[in-house]
Amino acid sequence: MNAIYRVGDSSSAGMSSIQEPLIKQKHSQENYSVLAAIRPFLFPALGAFLFGYEIGATSCSTISIKSPTLSGISWYKLSSVDVGIITSGSLYGALIGSIVAFSIADIIGRRKGLITAAFLYLIGAIVTAVAPVFPVLIIGRVVYGIGVGLTMHAAPMYIAETAPSQIRGRMISLKEFSTVFGMVGGYGIGNLWVTVISGWRYMYATVIPVPIIMAIGMCWLPASPRWLLLRSLQGKGDMESLQEAAIKSLRRLRGSVAVDTAAEQVDEILAELSSVGEDKEATIGELFQGKCLKALTIAGGLVLFQQITGQPSVLYYAPSILQTAGFSAATDATRISILLGLLKLVMTGVAIVVIDKLGRRPLLLGGVSGMVISLFLLGSYYIFYNNVPAVAVAALLLYVGCYQLSFGPISWLMMSEIFPLKLRGRGISIAVLVNFGTNALVTFAFSPMKELLGAGVLFCGFGVICVVSLFFIYFIVPETKGLTLEEIEAKCL
């Protein structure tokens, strides 16, 4: 009988490389078919695509909707507050979605959560596209945003719980790739419709088929086998039926190569879940105790630093930086955004290729170190070197690239991996709430802080926060490369 071992972290954090048994049982290799493993990623990733598309399309739609000649409406005279409400409407919806997910995630499961999100995406897109008056437009934006909140909660969980451990990091990072791809698509589609009368309506209507495909795909996919086994262990249904459903689910998720080993893998998962206490009913209070508190600290800390290290603000300021450098004399802000989106896409692709080879910690430490350098360069540009625009451009490109190697994909990956199964739904919903709440705070605080402190001091301040995040990553964030979700709970918490 082979034992599951505590694998020492050989990183510079100094953890011992001595192996010690954690779970005394056989742990077989996870056999899987590549084609079968892609399917449970593909349809949840469409939800991430829709999130990214909304970001790109909305940045273009606000140009169209304010135009007296192109808006096609009589209420085009929108104040800056109105435009702000349009832009942030989906963000408010995402906050609502995160709160809803806290209550229902572990009851309805990851698959039904994504089906619900697809339905909300569809309703939100339709209402937004046909909105006859401003309040209806905002209702559509908020409904769409609730779908975003449910998706960014359920998609990483479903992918993490269904992907083989050997490629789990790559699969969840591909979700971030889908978000960035959607963003670039939104910018591109927006650029096509921005000069057409009522173009903003077409921007939102163009994406309507995607949530329909997402819903059909999620109805076809099986429920997460780990969620089924959690229900079985906690007595929330017929134990034998749930375990049989988990075996069938695993066979579909792994393909024909796992037909003979699925039952054995389910037995191993059940034994591992029991060994770490997943058979006991979870309480809300447990989120703030012991291993769950540590998981919440890791996930919440990563998504907090993801936002307060300046990501929304730097991208907001990107067009003016490129204009200063002379790149946009004959180019509008939409095309500049497409350029940055393509860079984000390329760097996310790099992260996907190396994340399961190098691990999470090296990419976080290396990427955030690059962000520190870029932020101090940006700050120095506005304080000392404003006659050398190449400094600002280089710093901007370095920042975007390093962010997409580190906080961009890995925060969502770690969030989906780190929580114990019985509290994973509630834990991730809190982390998603922190993400969107902090995003809103940073977005709204940026302009007044820039006026108060100046852009140079503000970017240097973000650089200091990045340095603090490096200490957090170095001392708090564990390495989860190659571990099953049950091993992560046993080793890292």
Side-chain angles (χ1 to χ4, degrees), residues 2 34 37-38 49 81 100 110 116 120 129 142 251 255 288 304 307 310 337 373 388 402 471 474-475 482 487:
N2 298 324
V34 174
I38 288 174
F49 172 88
V81 174
V100 170
R110 294 64 163 125
T116 304
L120 291 168
V142 171
R251 283 172 177 163
F288 307 100
L304 176 69
Q307 298 299 327
S337 299
I373 295 170
V388 188
C402 289
F471 283 96
Y474 188 81
F475 291 107
E487 288 173 318

PDB file of all heavy atoms in Angstrom, residues 2 34 37-38 49 81 100 110 116 120 129 142 251 255 288 304 307 310 337 373 388 402 471 474-475 482 487:
ATOM      1  N   ASN A   2       0.622   2.171  -0.898  1.00  0.00           N
ATOM      2  CA  ASN A   2       1.368   3.416  -0.955  1.00  0.00           C
ATOM      3  C   ASN A   2       0.709   4.449  -0.068  1.00  0.00           C
ATOM      4  O   ASN A   2      -0.495   4.468   0.105  1.00  0.00           O
ATOM      5  CB  ASN A   2       1.413   3.951  -2.393  1.00  0.00           C
ATOM      6  CG  ASN A   2       2.125   2.993  -3.315  1.00  0.00           C
ATOM      7  OD1 ASN A   2       3.081   2.353  -2.905  1.00  0.00           O
ATOM      8  ND2 ASN A   2       1.651   2.879  -4.553  1.00  0.00           N
ATOM      9  N   VAL A  34      -7.541  13.376 -22.820  1.00  0.00           N
ATOM     10  CA  VAL A  34      -7.413  14.829 -22.993  1.00  0.00           C
ATOM     11  C   VAL A  34      -8.709  15.426 -23.524  1.00  0.00           C
ATOM     12  O   VAL A  34      -9.186  16.457 -23.052  1.00  0.00           O
ATOM     13  CB  VAL A  34      -6.238  15.167 -23.933  1.00  0.00           C
ATOM     14  CG1 VAL A  34      -6.200  16.659 -24.235  1.00  0.00           C
ATOM     15  CG2 VAL A  34      -4.917  14.720 -23.314  1.00  0.00           C
ATOM     16  N   ALA A  37     -11.272  15.594 -20.822  1.00  0.00           N
ATOM     17  CA  ALA A  37     -10.924  16.574 -19.798  1.00  0.00           C
ATOM     18  C   ALA A  37     -11.213  18.001 -20.247  1.00  0.00           C
ATOM     19  O   ALA A  37     -11.449  18.881 -19.421  1.00  0.00           O
ATOM     20  CB  ALA A  37      -9.448  16.432 -19.423  1.00  0.00           C
ATOM     21  N   ILE A  38     -11.201  18.227 -21.578  1.00  0.00           N
ATOM     22  CA  ILE A  38     -11.447  19.582 -22.094  1.00  0.00           C
ATOM     23  C   ILE A  38     -12.914  19.961 -21.979  1.00  0.00           C
ATOM     24  O   ILE A  38     -13.251  21.112 -21.694  1.00  0.00           O
ATOM     25  CB  ILE A  38     -10.975  19.678 -23.560  1.00  0.00           C
ATOM     26  CG1 ILE A  38      -9.444  19.664 -23.607  1.00  0.00           C
ATOM     27  CG2 ILE A  38     -11.499  20.948 -24.234  1.00  0.00           C
ATOM     28  CD1 ILE A  38      -8.876  19.609 -25.004  1.00  0.00           C
ATOM     29  N   PHE A  49     -15.809  33.952 -20.474  1.00  0.00           N
ATOM     30  CA  PHE A  49     -15.769  34.723 -21.711  1.00  0.00           C
ATOM     31  C   PHE A  49     -16.815  35.836 -21.689  1.00  0.00           C
ATOM     32  O   PHE A  49     -16.544  36.983 -22.076  1.00  0.00           O
ATOM     33  CB  PHE A  49     -16.002  33.796 -22.910  1.00  0.00           C
ATOM     34  CG  PHE A  49     -16.183  34.509 -24.225  1.00  0.00           C
ATOM     35  CD1 PHE A  49     -15.087  34.826 -25.014  1.00  0.00           C
ATOM     36  CD2 PHE A  49     -17.450  34.880 -24.670  1.00  0.00           C
ATOM     37  CE1 PHE A  49     -15.249  35.501 -26.222  1.00  0.00           C
ATOM     38  CE2 PHE A  49     -17.618  35.547 -25.872  1.00  0.00           C
ATOM     39  CZ  PHE A  49     -16.513  35.862 -26.651  1.00  0.00           C
ATOM     40  N   VAL A  81     -22.367  60.727 -13.819  1.00  0.00           N
ATOM     41  CA  VAL A  81     -22.889  59.768 -12.833  1.00  0.00           C
ATOM     42  C   VAL A  81     -23.664  58.662 -13.544  1.00  0.00           C
ATOM     43  O   VAL A  81     -23.530  57.470 -13.216  1.00  0.00           O
ATOM     44  CB  VAL A  81     -23.785  60.477 -11.798  1.00  0.00           C
ATOM     45  CG1 VAL A  81     -24.440  59.454 -10.866  1.00  0.00           C
ATOM     46  CG2 VAL A  81     -22.972  61.479 -10.988  1.00  0.00           C
ATOM     47  N   VAL A 100     -25.651  35.870  -3.122  1.00  0.00           N
ATOM     48  CA  VAL A 100     -26.586  34.776  -3.396  1.00  0.00           C
ATOM     49  C   VAL A 100     -25.849  33.438  -3.399  1.00  0.00           C
ATOM     50  O   VAL A 100     -26.327  32.444  -2.842  1.00  0.00           O
ATOM     51  CB  VAL A 100     -27.286  35.011  -4.755  1.00  0.00           C
ATOM     52  CG1 VAL A 100     -28.085  33.773  -5.175  1.00  0.00           C
ATOM     53  CG2 VAL A 100     -28.200  36.227  -4.675  1.00  0.00           C
ATOM     54  N   ARG A 110     -22.392  23.072  -8.285  1.00  0.00           N
ATOM     55  CA  ARG A 110     -21.662  23.933  -9.215  1.00  0.00           C
ATOM     56  C   ARG A 110     -22.332  23.966 -10.598  1.00  0.00           C
ATOM     57  O   ARG A 110     -22.447  25.012 -11.229  1.00  0.00           O
ATOM     58  CB  ARG A 110     -20.230  23.448  -9.397  1.00  0.00           C
ATOM     59  CG  ARG A 110     -19.349  23.539  -8.141  1.00  0.00           C
ATOM     60  CD  ARG A 110     -19.798  22.664  -7.012  1.00  0.00           C
ATOM     61  NE  ARG A 110     -18.809  22.447  -5.997  1.00  0.00           N
ATOM     62  CZ  ARG A 110     -19.019  22.695  -4.704  1.00  0.00           C
ATOM     63  NH1 ARG A 110     -20.149  23.246  -4.286  1.00  0.00           N
ATOM     64  NH2 ARG A 110     -18.082  22.394  -3.826  1.00  0.00           N
ATOM     65  N   THR A 116     -27.851  28.436 -13.986  1.00  0.00           N
ATOM     66  CA  THR A 116     -28.556  29.644 -13.543  1.00  0.00           C
ATOM     67  C   THR A 116     -27.849  30.895 -14.049  1.00  0.00           C
ATOM     68  O   THR A 116     -28.492  31.850 -14.502  1.00  0.00           O
ATOM     69  CB  THR A 116     -28.642  29.678 -12.004  1.00  0.00           C
ATOM     70  OG1 THR A 116     -29.259  28.484 -11.527  1.00  0.00           O
ATOM     71  CG2 THR A 116     -29.440  30.886 -11.523  1.00  0.00           C
ATOM     72  N   LEU A 120     -29.259  33.996 -16.476  1.00  0.00           N
ATOM     73  CA  LEU A 120     -29.186  35.411 -16.109  1.00  0.00           C
ATOM     74  C   LEU A 120     -28.405  36.214 -17.148  1.00  0.00           C
ATOM     75  O   LEU A 120     -28.760  37.358 -17.464  1.00  0.00           O
ATOM     76  CB  LEU A 120     -28.544  35.555 -14.727  1.00  0.00           C
ATOM     77  CG  LEU A 120     -29.394  35.047 -13.564  1.00  0.00           C
ATOM     78  CD1 LEU A 120     -28.560  34.957 -12.282  1.00  0.00           C
ATOM     79  CD2 LEU A 120     -30.599  35.953 -13.338  1.00  0.00           C
ATOM     80  N   ALA A 129     -30.032  45.076 -24.438  1.00  0.00           N
ATOM     81  CA  ALA A 129     -30.039  45.377 -25.873  1.00  0.00           C
ATOM     82  C   ALA A 129     -31.316  46.077 -26.317  1.00  0.00           C
ATOM     83  O   ALA A 129     -31.280  46.897 -27.246  1.00  0.00           O
ATOM     84  CB  ALA A 129     -29.843  44.093 -26.670  1.00  0.00           C
ATOM     85  N   VAL A 142     -27.576  45.028 -14.251  1.00  0.00           N
ATOM     86  CA  VAL A 142     -27.477  44.386 -12.932  1.00  0.00           C
ATOM     87  C   VAL A 142     -27.767  42.886 -13.038  1.00  0.00           C
ATOM     88  O   VAL A 142     -27.063  42.063 -12.425  1.00  0.00           O
ATOM     89  CB  VAL A 142     -28.438  45.060 -11.926  1.00  0.00           C
ATOM     90  CG1 VAL A 142     -28.499  44.268 -10.619  1.00  0.00           C
ATOM     91  CG2 VAL A 142     -28.003  46.495 -11.639  1.00  0.00           C
ATOM     92  N   ARG A 251     -16.414   8.786 -14.808  1.00  0.00           N
ATOM     93  CA  ARG A 251     -16.156   8.081 -16.064  1.00  0.00           C
ATOM     94  C   ARG A 251     -16.367   9.006 -17.261  1.00  0.00           C
ATOM     95  O   ARG A 251     -15.600   8.984 -18.225  1.00  0.00           O
ATOM     96  CB  ARG A 251     -17.071   6.859 -16.169  1.00  0.00           C
ATOM     97  CG  ARG A 251     -16.605   5.694 -15.295  1.00  0.00           C
ATOM     98  CD  ARG A 251     -17.638   4.582 -15.261  1.00  0.00           C
ATOM     99  NE  ARG A 251     -17.148   3.440 -14.490  1.00  0.00           N
ATOM    100  CZ  ARG A 251     -17.925   2.467 -14.014  1.00  0.00           C
ATOM    101  NH1 ARG A 251     -19.239   2.510 -14.239  1.00  0.00           N
ATOM    102  NH2 ARG A 251     -17.402   1.471 -13.335  1.00  0.00           N
ATOM    103  N   GLY A 255     -13.156  10.023 -19.459  1.00  0.00           N
ATOM    104  CA  GLY A 255     -13.150   9.312 -20.729  1.00  0.00           C
ATOM    105  C   GLY A 255     -13.022   7.808 -20.566  1.00  0.00           C
ATOM    106  O   GLY A 255     -12.995   7.275 -19.444  1.00  0.00           O
ATOM    107  N   PHE A 288     -14.325  30.769   9.896  1.00  0.00           N
ATOM    108  CA  PHE A 288     -13.419  31.689  10.585  1.00  0.00           C
ATOM    109  C   PHE A 288     -12.639  30.976  11.690  1.00  0.00           C
ATOM    110  O   PHE A 288     -12.216  31.589  12.666  1.00  0.00           O
ATOM    111  CB  PHE A 288     -14.225  32.864  11.151  1.00  0.00           C
ATOM    112  CG  PHE A 288     -15.084  33.531  10.109  1.00  0.00           C
ATOM    113  CD1 PHE A 288     -16.436  33.240  10.021  1.00  0.00           C
ATOM    114  CD2 PHE A 288     -14.530  34.400   9.183  1.00  0.00           C
ATOM    115  CE1 PHE A 288     -17.230  33.839   9.049  1.00  0.00           C
ATOM    116  CE2 PHE A 288     -15.309  34.992   8.203  1.00  0.00           C
ATOM    117  CZ  PHE A 288     -16.669  34.710   8.139  1.00  0.00           C
ATOM    118  N   LEU A 304      -7.554  40.299  -2.723  1.00  0.00           N
ATOM    119  CA  LEU A 304      -7.445  41.675  -2.225  1.00  0.00           C
ATOM    120  C   LEU A 304      -6.238  42.367  -2.859  1.00  0.00           C
ATOM    121  O   LEU A 304      -6.357  43.462  -3.423  1.00  0.00           O
ATOM    122  CB  LEU A 304      -7.312  41.670  -0.701  1.00  0.00           C
ATOM    123  CG  LEU A 304      -7.102  43.040  -0.041  1.00  0.00           C
ATOM    124  CD1 LEU A 304      -8.366  43.882  -0.145  1.00  0.00           C
ATOM    125  CD2 LEU A 304      -6.695  42.874   1.422  1.00  0.00           C
ATOM    126  N   GLN A 307      -6.427  43.411  -6.522  1.00  0.00           N
ATOM    127  CA  GLN A 307      -7.102  44.659  -6.860  1.00  0.00           C
ATOM    128  C   GLN A 307      -6.364  45.887  -6.331  1.00  0.00           C
ATOM    129  O   GLN A 307      -6.246  46.894  -7.045  1.00  0.00           O
ATOM    130  CB  GLN A 307      -8.537  44.642  -6.306  1.00  0.00           C
ATOM    131  CG  GLN A 307      -9.409  43.551  -6.873  1.00  0.00           C
ATOM    132  CD  GLN A 307      -9.585  43.659  -8.375  1.00  0.00           C
ATOM    133  OE1 GLN A 307      -9.608  44.740  -8.938  1.00  0.00           O
ATOM    134  NE2 GLN A 307      -9.696  42.510  -9.047  1.00  0.00           N
ATOM    135  N   GLY A 310      -3.310  48.019  -7.902  1.00  0.00           N
ATOM    136  CA  GLY A 310      -3.476  49.014  -8.949  1.00  0.00           C
ATOM    137  C   GLY A 310      -3.962  48.534 -10.288  1.00  0.00           C
ATOM    138  O   GLY A 310      -4.047  49.329 -11.230  1.00  0.00           O
ATOM    139  N   SER A 337      -7.054  49.799 -26.425  1.00  0.00           N
ATOM    140  CA  SER A 337      -7.516  48.754 -25.509  1.00  0.00           C
ATOM    141  C   SER A 337      -7.352  47.369 -26.128  1.00  0.00           C
ATOM    142  O   SER A 337      -7.016  46.403 -25.435  1.00  0.00           O
ATOM    143  CB  SER A 337      -8.983  48.999 -25.144  1.00  0.00           C
ATOM    144  OG  SER A 337      -9.144  50.242 -24.500  1.00  0.00           O
ATOM    145  N   ILE A 373       8.565  46.725  -9.907  1.00  0.00           N
ATOM    146  CA  ILE A 373       9.470  47.533 -10.740  1.00  0.00           C
ATOM    147  C   ILE A 373       8.670  48.455 -11.660  1.00  0.00           C
ATOM    148  O   ILE A 373       8.959  49.652 -11.790  1.00  0.00           O
ATOM    149  CB  ILE A 373      10.399  46.615 -11.557  1.00  0.00           C
ATOM    150  CG1 ILE A 373      11.321  45.822 -10.619  1.00  0.00           C
ATOM    151  CG2 ILE A 373      11.218  47.422 -12.560  1.00  0.00           C
ATOM    152  CD1 ILE A 373      12.104  44.713 -11.318  1.00  0.00           C
ATOM    153  N   VAL A 388      10.272  61.731 -20.933  1.00  0.00           N
ATOM    154  CA  VAL A 388      10.784  60.486 -21.533  1.00  0.00           C
ATOM    155  C   VAL A 388       9.629  59.476 -21.565  1.00  0.00           C
ATOM    156  O   VAL A 388       9.536  58.575 -20.725  1.00  0.00           O
ATOM    157  CB  VAL A 388      11.976  59.916 -20.722  1.00  0.00           C
ATOM    158  CG1 VAL A 388      12.618  58.739 -21.479  1.00  0.00           C
ATOM    159  CG2 VAL A 388      12.995  60.984 -20.425  1.00  0.00           C
ATOM    160  N   CYS A 402       3.382  41.207 -16.406  1.00  0.00           N
ATOM    161  CA  CYS A 402       3.670  40.553 -15.121  1.00  0.00           C
ATOM    162  C   CYS A 402       2.388  40.243 -14.351  1.00  0.00           C
ATOM    163  O   CYS A 402       2.293  39.212 -13.675  1.00  0.00           O
ATOM    164  CB  CYS A 402       4.590  41.439 -14.282  1.00  0.00           C
ATOM    165  SG  CYS A 402       6.272  41.523 -14.896  1.00  0.00           S
ATOM    166  N   PHE A 471       5.632  39.822   0.559  1.00  0.00           N
ATOM    167  CA  PHE A 471       5.818  39.197   1.874  1.00  0.00           C
ATOM    168  C   PHE A 471       4.664  38.237   2.175  1.00  0.00           C
ATOM    169  O   PHE A 471       4.877  37.151   2.723  1.00  0.00           O
ATOM    170  CB  PHE A 471       5.915  40.267   2.960  1.00  0.00           C
ATOM    171  CG  PHE A 471       7.250  40.951   3.015  1.00  0.00           C
ATOM    172  CD1 PHE A 471       7.451  42.162   2.374  1.00  0.00           C
ATOM    173  CD2 PHE A 471       8.326  40.380   3.695  1.00  0.00           C
ATOM    174  CE1 PHE A 471       8.685  42.801   2.411  1.00  0.00           C
ATOM    175  CE2 PHE A 471       9.561  40.999   3.742  1.00  0.00           C
ATOM    176  CZ  PHE A 471       9.746  42.215   3.090  1.00  0.00           C
ATOM    177  N   TYR A 474       5.231  35.115   0.086  1.00  0.00           N
ATOM    178  CA  TYR A 474       6.407  34.365   0.518  1.00  0.00           C
ATOM    179  C   TYR A 474       6.138  33.569   1.793  1.00  0.00           C
ATOM    180  O   TYR A 474       6.542  32.400   1.911  1.00  0.00           O
ATOM    181  CB  TYR A 474       7.560  35.337   0.741  1.00  0.00           C
ATOM    182  CG  TYR A 474       8.893  34.683   1.005  1.00  0.00           C
ATOM    183  CD1 TYR A 474       9.677  34.210  -0.040  1.00  0.00           C
ATOM    184  CD2 TYR A 474       9.368  34.533   2.308  1.00  0.00           C
ATOM    185  CE1 TYR A 474      10.900  33.613   0.201  1.00  0.00           C
ATOM    186  CE2 TYR A 474      10.592  33.934   2.559  1.00  0.00           C
ATOM    187  CZ  TYR A 474      11.360  33.474   1.500  1.00  0.00           C
ATOM    188  OH  TYR A 474      12.565  32.869   1.746  1.00  0.00           O
ATOM    189  N   PHE A 475       5.447  34.192   2.740  1.00  0.00           N
ATOM    190  CA  PHE A 475       5.273  33.560   4.050  1.00  0.00           C
ATOM    191  C   PHE A 475       3.939  32.839   4.234  1.00  0.00           C
ATOM    192  O   PHE A 475       3.827  31.971   5.105  1.00  0.00           O
ATOM    193  CB  PHE A 475       5.418  34.603   5.157  1.00  0.00           C
ATOM    194  CG  PHE A 475       6.821  35.127   5.317  1.00  0.00           C
ATOM    195  CD1 PHE A 475       7.156  36.402   4.899  1.00  0.00           C
ATOM    196  CD2 PHE A 475       7.821  34.323   5.862  1.00  0.00           C
ATOM    197  CE1 PHE A 475       8.449  36.883   5.035  1.00  0.00           C
ATOM    198  CE2 PHE A 475       9.122  34.797   5.999  1.00  0.00           C
ATOM    199  CZ  PHE A 475       9.444  36.073   5.586  1.00  0.00           C
ATOM    200  N   GLY A 482       0.477  19.930  -8.552  1.00  0.00           N
ATOM    201  CA  GLY A 482       0.494  18.473  -8.623  1.00  0.00           C
ATOM    202  C   GLY A 482      -0.252  17.756  -7.527  1.00  0.00           C
ATOM    203  O   GLY A 482      -0.321  16.523  -7.531  1.00  0.00           O
ATOM    204  N   GLU A 487      -5.326  16.309  -0.973  1.00  0.00           N
ATOM    205  CA  GLU A 487      -3.959  16.463  -0.476  1.00  0.00           C
ATOM    206  C   GLU A 487      -3.675  17.926  -0.096  1.00  0.00           C
ATOM    207  O   GLU A 487      -2.965  18.198   0.867  1.00  0.00           O
ATOM    208  CB  GLU A 487      -2.959  16.007  -1.540  1.00  0.00           C
ATOM    209  CG  GLU A 487      -2.929  14.494  -1.724  1.00  0.00           C
ATOM    210  CD  GLU A 487      -2.044  14.085  -2.898  1.00  0.00           C
ATOM    211  OE1 GLU A 487      -2.079  14.734  -3.954  1.00  0.00           O
ATOM    212  OE2 GLU A 487      -1.318  13.096  -2.750  1.00  0.00           O
TER     213      GLU A 487
END
